[in-house]
Amino acid sequence: MKRTIRATALSVGALIAALGPPAGAARADSTAPRIDLRILVVSDGGPATDAVAAELDAAGTPYTEVDLTRSDRPTVDAAFLADTVDGRPRAKYQAVVLPNDNPFAAGSAEMAALASYERTYALPQVDAYTYARPEAGLQYPVSGGYSGTVDGVRAQVTAAGQAGPFGYLDGAVPFEDNSPSVGESYAYLSPPAAGADFTPYVQASIPGTSKQGSLVGEYRHDGRRELVVTFVYNQYQQQFRLLARGIVEWMTGGVHLGAARNYFAVHVDDVFAADDRWDTQLNCTPGDVDCTGGAGTPNPIRMTPADVDYATAWQSSHRFTLDLVYNGAGSVDQREDNNGVDQLADKLIADRDQFRWVNHTYTHAFLGCEQNTTVVPWTCRTDADGSTKWVDRSTIDHEIATNRAWGQAAGLPLQSDELVTGEHSGLKLLPQQPDDNPNLAPALADNGIDWLASDNSRDPEQRKVGPATTVSRYPMNVFYNTGRAAEQVDEYNWIYTGRAQGGSGICEDNPATTTCLPSPLNTGTGYGDHIVPLETRIAFGHVLSNDPKPHFIHQSNLAEDRIAYPVLNGVLDGYDTLFADNTPLVNLRMKDIGTELQRRAAWKTALSAGQVTAYRIGDAVTVQAPSGVAVTATLPTGTTLGGNAFGGAYAGEVSGWTASSGSALTLTLPSSAVAPAAAAAAETPATRPAPHTKVPAGMTEQVPYTPDS
């Protein structure tokens, strides 16, 4: 049946969006409305809208939040949503996110204003988590659908989803099921309602039937477009993290400020050195400062040439590069003790171009305060007046410069302005050392260090230390003093069980610790059954969170049982099964990670201060930011800036950073990037309020664990 377009139902701006500019028309059409590149997030305090806001925050995409739980919130009316600038109609927001399809009271003027706004400017609405019902384009669950837990369900992206906003996924969307005793996800699964213009993008099987029910889909009605999401989630859950990019791309039409990529980098510390081994009888590490009184005999762990061969083959098969963080004195000591022979160093140096290399100081010396190790835990030594005794500047200089010289003599392809100090020492370390070593900053300047590693579990924010900027690294809970799985489990049991079970009691002293064990793990199976899945999930969560910070392990974990690889395989192989080839993992070296974090911080500051202006008129996008603040955006493939291609390809679009001089930048979208058009329909009243949607108890509290040691 031929549809008659009723022009009276669309504004001039919507008609232009629907029809597109005529051939040869100017990019900034004189009659097109201005659409500001900002999202309106209307929140009810629930986890779903908070998750969408967190995704926008992480990407650097500006938004305005209206909290419906606050009595002093602004009223959402026509003046709040739109106005006129320089004689041109302006939409203040390019998309609207609501907690459900209608969170307002019956007959709400605010919902009517939103519906009118969306029709007028052909702007989309995301229903962050709503009940399946005809008003949202779906059948009621009681009519052959399903409502209940979807823990462990393996949903699928539909052909329409892959051809549209979720084309960066290979197809599967697995839902987490991390605890059999906790309901982690709840959903309404229903087919489209009879006669509804509804396109499922992500769906799953309805239990007990051969039918599919929608979890994410697009509903077109009343001149409006809604993305209808019918499962509850929080910002940390894998299923949301997999779909978050597509939700943002759908609501922005692939035109927005900010960018997101999936990053993974792994630093391997103490290369060339040997790591002291955990003693399963003493429950400490002989040779370590906290294993005092001459207890035990050190039995160090050190890689072999065969471990290097394994590492290079593993890298090749996974298209991934490890960062080897090295201590040259480890090889010097080995040669002195073995008549000049060090087969490991010979092999690593021969294969040096297979890896990236980072200076880890010459001897791995502690570069903070002078340590008093006669007590457990150790303390800082003090002068007679009580002031802290610090490792001096010349010692720090020697550790940095000698290791660099050793690496250069070995032909290692170094980035000489990167540094990882032993144990991140020199930086503040609570509770013993609340301040940075004052001699650290001048020593960094002496040696031209611009990027200094810090431990994310104790120093997560990027900051300046003299001339250097920190790069926080995530510690993996794969311990430096273990080369065998049984040792790892034994130490894990000791740390995370109670004193009555022979453990350290850390969980009794710190009940908030999330890795506490109800009983010790089996030393034969506990690593593969418990530790590997948990550490894989934590690291994978970072990968899916647009987080470029590197993870770090130790050379001991690539030796003997090679216990790091099951975790790394879990991340990399898991990623390959979920993402399309157009969305590869980004594997940056430390300096580039630091630069990315630095740019993000400056961008976030400029956004918070209201110093960024960005809008779209037709096929022209204009962005203005303070001088020196790089601009970041995600745009359709074919976008140009000054006649040159903008950004780099990722996930079916282009994104990246571009320098700003303080003047307005004008980006030209490809002719194919026509703004989404509203469906032609007569204006109708807003739907009645959405019914209550269920949120499983405890779901919002489930967050990933980051090791604190």
Side-chain angles (χ1 to χ4, degrees), residues 97-133:
V97 178
L98 298 183
N100 51 57
D101 61 288
N102 183 0
F104 300 98
S108 166
E110 290 183 292
M111 190 65 229
L114 278 169
S116 177
Y117 175 71
E118 293 166 12
R119 277 190 291 266
T120 299
Y121 292 98
L123 300 178
Q125 172 183 308
V126 173
D127 305 333
Y129 169 48
T130 197
Y131 186 78
R133 63 196 188 119

Coordinates of all heavy atoms in Angstrom, one line a residue, residues 97-133:
V97 N 17.7 10.3 26.1 CA 17.7 9.0 26.8 C 16.7 9.1 28.0 O 16.9 10.0 28.9 CB 19.1 8.7 27.4 CG1 19.1 7.4 28.1 CG2 20.1 8.7 26.2
L98 N 15.8 8.2 28.1 CA 14.8 8.2 29.2 C 15.0 6.8 29.9 O 15.5 5.8 29.3 CB 13.4 8.2 28.6 CG 13.0 9.5 27.9 CD1 11.5 9.4 27.5 CD2 13.2 10.8 28.7
P99 N 14.6 6.8 31.2 CA 14.7 5.5 31.9 C 13.8 4.5 31.4 O 14.1 3.3 31.5 CB 14.4 5.9 33.3 CG 13.6 7.2 33.2 CD 14.2 7.9 32.0
N100 N 12.7 4.8 30.7 CA 11.8 3.9 30.1 C 11.0 4.7 29.0 O 11.4 5.9 28.7 CB 10.8 3.3 31.1 CG 10.1 4.3 31.9 OD1 9.4 5.2 31.4 ND2 10.3 4.2 33.3
D101 N 10.1 4.1 28.4 CA 9.4 4.8 27.2 C 8.6 6.0 27.7 O 8.3 6.9 26.9 CB 8.6 3.8 26.4 CG 7.5 3.2 27.2 OD1 7.8 2.3 28.1 OD2 6.3 3.6 27.0
N102 N 8.2 6.1 28.9 CA 7.5 7.2 29.4 C 7.6 7.3 31.0 O 6.7 6.6 31.6 CB 6.0 7.3 29.0 CG 5.3 8.5 29.4 OD1 5.9 9.4 30.1 ND2 4.0 8.6 29.1
P103 N 8.5 8.0 31.5 CA 8.7 8.0 33.0 C 7.9 9.0 33.7 O 8.0 9.1 34.9 CB 10.2 8.3 33.1 CG 10.5 9.2 32.0 CD 9.6 8.7 30.8
F104 N 7.0 9.7 33.0 CA 6.3 10.8 33.6 C 4.9 10.4 34.0 O 4.4 9.3 33.6 CB 6.2 12.0 32.6 CG 7.6 12.6 32.3 CD1 8.2 12.2 31.1 CD2 8.2 13.4 33.1 CE1 9.4 12.7 30.8 CE2 9.5 13.9 32.8 CZ 10.1 13.6 31.6
A105 N 4.2 11.2 34.7 CA 2.8 10.9 35.1 C 1.9 11.0 33.9 O 2.2 11.5 32.8 CB 2.3 11.9 36.2
A106 N 0.7 10.4 34.0 CA -0.3 10.4 33.0 C -0.6 11.8 32.5 O -0.8 12.7 33.4 CB -1.6 9.6 33.4
G107 N -0.7 12.0 31.2 CA -1.0 13.3 30.7 C 0.1 14.3 30.9 O -0.2 15.6 30.9
S108 N 1.3 13.9 31.1 CA 2.4 14.8 31.5 C 2.7 15.8 30.3 O 2.9 15.4 29.2 CB 3.7 14.0 31.7 OG 4.8 14.8 31.7
A109 N 2.8 17.0 30.6 CA 3.2 18.1 29.7 C 4.6 17.9 29.3 O 5.0 18.2 28.1 CB 3.0 19.5 30.2
E110 N 5.5 17.3 30.2 CA 6.9 17.1 29.9 C 7.1 16.1 28.8 O 7.9 16.2 27.9 CB 7.7 16.8 31.1 CG 7.8 18.0 32.1 CD 8.6 17.7 33.3 OE1 8.1 16.9 34.1 OE2 9.7 18.2 33.4
M111 N 6.3 14.9 28.9 CA 6.4 13.9 27.9 C 5.9 14.4 26.6 O 6.4 14.1 25.5 CB 5.7 12.7 28.4 CG 5.9 11.4 27.5 SD 7.6 10.8 27.6 CE 8.0 10.7 25.8
A112 N 4.8 15.2 26.6 CA 4.3 15.8 25.4 C 5.3 16.7 24.7 O 5.5 16.7 23.5 CB 3.0 16.5 25.7
A113 N 6.0 17.5 25.6 CA 7.1 18.4 25.0 C 8.2 17.6 24.4 O 8.7 17.9 23.3 CB 7.6 19.3 26.1
L114 N 8.6 16.5 25.0 CA 9.7 15.6 24.5 C 9.2 15.0 23.1 O 10.0 15.0 22.2 CB 10.1 14.6 25.5 CG 11.0 14.9 26.6 CD1 11.1 13.8 27.6 CD2 12.4 15.2 26.0
A115 N 8.0 14.5 23.1 CA 7.5 13.9 21.9 C 7.4 14.9 20.8 O 7.8 14.6 19.6 CB 6.1 13.2 22.2
S116 N 7.0 16.0 21.0 CA 6.9 17.1 20.0 C 8.3 17.5 19.5 O 8.5 17.7 18.3 CB 6.2 18.3 20.6 OG 6.2 19.3 19.6
Y117 N 9.2 17.6 20.5 CA 10.6 17.9 20.1 C 11.2 16.9 19.2 O 11.9 17.2 18.2 CB 11.4 18.0 21.4 CG 12.9 18.3 21.3 CD1 13.4 19.5 20.9 CD2 13.8 17.3 21.7 CE1 14.7 19.7 20.8 CE2 15.1 17.5 21.6 CZ 15.6 18.7 21.2 OH 17.0 18.9 21.1
E118 N 11.0 15.6 19.6 CA 11.6 14.6 18.8 C 11.0 14.5 17.4 O 11.8 14.3 16.4 CB 11.4 13.2 19.5 CG 12.2 13.1 20.8 CD 11.7 11.9 21.6 OE1 10.9 11.0 21.1 OE2 12.1 11.8 22.8
R119 N 9.7 14.8 17.2 CA 9.1 14.9 15.9 C 9.6 16.0 15.1 O 10.0 15.9 13.9 CB 7.6 14.9 16.1 CG 6.9 13.6 16.3 CD 5.4 13.8 16.1 NE 4.8 14.5 17.3 CZ 4.4 14.0 18.4 NH1 4.4 12.7 18.5 NH2 3.9 14.7 19.3
T120 N 9.7 17.2 15.8 CA 10.1 18.4 15.1 C 11.4 18.3 14.4 O 11.7 18.7 13.3 CB 10.0 19.6 16.0 OG1 8.7 19.7 16.5 CG2 10.4 20.9 15.3
Y121 N 12.4 17.8 15.2 CA 13.8 17.8 14.7 C 14.2 16.4 14.3 O 15.4 16.2 14.0 CB 14.7 18.3 15.8 CG 14.5 19.7 16.1 CD1 13.7 20.2 17.2 CD2 15.1 20.7 15.3 CE1 13.5 21.5 17.4 CE2 14.9 22.1 15.5 CZ 14.1 22.5 16.6 OH 13.9 23.8 16.9
A122 N 13.3 15.4 14.2 CA 13.7 14.0 13.8 C 14.8 13.5 14.7 O 15.8 12.9 14.1 CB 14.0 14.0 12.3
L123 N 14.6 13.6 16.0 CA 15.6 13.1 16.9 C 15.2 11.9 17.6 O 14.0 11.7 17.9 CB 15.9 14.2 17.9 CG 16.5 15.5 17.3 CD1 16.7 16.6 18.4 CD2 17.7 15.3 16.5
P124 N 16.1 11.0 17.9 CA 15.8 9.7 18.5 C 15.7 9.7 20.0 O 16.2 10.5 20.7 CB 16.9 8.8 18.0 CG 18.1 9.7 17.9 CD 17.6 11.0 17.5
Q125 N 15.1 8.6 20.5 CA 14.9 8.5 22.0 C 15.3 7.0 22.3 O 14.9 6.1 21.7 CB 13.5 8.7 22.4 CG 13.1 8.3 23.8 CD 11.6 8.5 24.1 OE1 11.1 9.6 23.8 NE2 11.0 7.5 24.6
V126 N 16.2 6.9 23.4 CA 16.5 5.6 23.9 C 15.7 5.4 25.2 O 15.7 6.2 26.1 CB 18.1 5.6 24.2 CG1 18.4 4.3 25.0 CG2 18.9 5.7 23.0
D127 N 15.0 4.2 25.2 CA 14.3 3.8 26.4 C 15.3 2.8 27.1 O 15.4 1.7 26.7 CB 13.0 3.1 26.0 CG 12.1 3.9 25.2 OD1 12.2 5.2 25.3 OD2 11.3 3.3 24.4
A128 N 16.0 3.3 28.1 CA 17.1 2.6 28.7 C 16.8 1.2 29.2 O 17.5 0.3 29.2 CB 17.8 3.5 29.8
Y129 N 15.6 1.1 29.8 CA 15.1 -0.2 30.3 C 13.6 -0.1 30.5 O 13.1 0.6 31.4 CB 15.8 -0.6 31.6 CG 15.2 -1.8 32.3 CD1 14.9 -3.0 31.6 CD2 14.9 -1.8 33.7 CE1 14.3 -4.1 32.2 CE2 14.4 -2.9 34.3 CZ 14.1 -4.0 33.6 OH 13.5 -5.1 34.2
T130 N 12.8 -0.7 29.7 CA 11.4 -0.6 29.7 C 10.7 -1.9 29.6 O 11.2 -2.9 29.2 CB 10.9 0.4 28.6 OG1 9.6 0.9 29.0 CG2 10.9 -0.3 27.3
Y131 N 9.4 -1.9 30.1 CA 8.6 -3.0 30.0 C 8.1 -3.3 28.6 O 7.8 -2.4 27.9 CB 7.4 -2.8 31.0 CG 6.4 -3.9 31.2 CD1 6.7 -5.0 32.0 CD2 5.2 -4.0 30.5 CE1 5.9 -6.0 32.2 CE2 4.3 -5.0 30.7 CZ 4.6 -6.0 31.6 OH 3.8 -7.1 31.8
A132 N 8.1 -4.6 28.2 CA 7.5 -4.9 26.9 C 6.0 -4.7 26.9 O 5.3 -5.3 27.6 CB 7.9 -6.3 26.6
R133 N 5.6 -3.8 26.0 CA 4.1 -3.5 25.9 C 3.9 -2.9 24.6 O 4.8 -2.4 23.9 CB 3.7 -2.6 27.1 CG 4.4 -1.2 27.1 CD 4.2 -0.6 28.4 NE 4.7 0.8 28.3 CZ 3.9 1.9 28.6 NH1 2.6 1.7 28.8 NH2 4.4 3.1 28.5

